[in-house]
Amino acid sequence: MMEKSIEAKSGIERAAEDLFNFAVDREDVKALMADLHEAADIKRDTVEYELHILKIISVGWAIPYCLGNAPQKDVIGACYWQAVQNFSSNLSETFGLVVGQPIDYFQILKDRLETYLNALQERPDAPEPAVVIGPEFAGACGNRNDVFTVMTGSRMFLATIASVKTYLESLNWNDNIVCH
């Protein structure tokens, strides 16, 4: 029994680590940046920065969204966010040294998550979350009305949720996966 518990915990921790590694991988950010229409009325550096934030937040949001009432949900979520906090701390320290002032990247992530969650709560009638996330993403980038940026944010959100769902389903917890 204890051996199964250790195996389950290491599997859960591995899942959280895999999800974290996916969240900080920049390949899809680069691909979306390459596809961002040249007519986009937006600072491209800002879009790239915000895409990375959106991806990290989307993975964290997808864990409870996809796992519903699964017993693994809370532990995977806690392990994931702890890894994000450690990553943020290292990034904050390094970037703070470069710019010569303190930076709290984890607080930036928390603030942006709160912005997205508030927007979702204000639009319970939205047919799907991406309809709300896209414009909020474009707003965070500096031009809420730029359709190309709205679409880029929506694409990142949808692709991230789909990837997390596919990954979680591969763990044979299928009966507990409830992604809407």
Side-chain angles (χ1 to χ4, degrees):
M1 175 81 169
M2 185 163 164
E3 193 172 298
K4 280 190 175 193
S5 176
I6 291 170
E7 279 181 33
K9 186 172 183 179
S10 65
I12 289 170
E13 289 171 345
R14 190 172 346 103
E17 182 179 331
D18 289 345
L19 291 168
F20 168 76
N21 289 332
F22 168 68
V24 297
D25 181 81
R26 299 186 61 85
E27 289 308 308
D28 49 356
V29 172
K30 291 177 188 176
L32 284 170
M33 288 305 299
D35 289 344
L36 181 60
H37 198 279
E38 61 189 41
D41 184 22
I42 203 81
K43 290 183 181 177
R44 294 179 96 70
D45 290 345
T46 302
V47 173
E48 185 172 357
Y49 173 78
E50 290 293 335
L51 278 172
H52 196 235
I53 289 172
L54 180 57
K55 185 176 179 188
I56 292 169
I57 289 170
S58 296
V59 171
W61 185 81
I63 293 168
Y65 182 74
C66 292
L67 289 176
N69 293 324
Q72 305 90 341
K73 174 182 75 174
D74 292 337
V75 177
I76 290 175
C79 290
Y80 172 78
W81 284 111
Q82 183 61 53
V84 169
Q85 189 169 22
N86 293 342
F87 168 80
S88 298
S89 178
N90 292 337
L91 188 64
S92 296
E93 186 177 318
T94 301
F95 193 66
L97 291 173
V98 170
V99 298
Q101 63 182 6
I103 303 290
D104 187 346
Y105 191 69
F106 193 68
Q107 187 61 49
I108 292 168
L109 292 170
K110 287 179 10 181
D111 292 345
R112 197 70 80 242
L113 175 60
E114 185 175 324
T115 298
Y116 288 124
L117 291 175
N118 287 339
L120 288 167
Q121 287 177 350
E122 290 173 11
R123 291 278 321 271
D125 60 325
E128 64 178 51
V131 171
V132 176
I133 298 297
E136 286 301 316
F137 172 79
C141 292
N143 186 353
R144 182 180 188 83
N145 298 317
D146 183 71
V147 68
F148 302 113
T149 308
V150 169
M151 289 172 32
T152 299
S154 294
R155 285 176 61 198
M156 173 59 85
F157 180 77
L158 289 170
T160 301
I161 300 303
S163 293
V164 170
K165 180 179 187 270
T166 299
Y167 173 75
L168 291 171
E169 286 174 342
S170 77
L171 299 176
N172 294 322
W173 298 333
N174 296 1
D175 56 329
N176 295 315
I177 305 296
V178 295
C179 245
H180 306 283

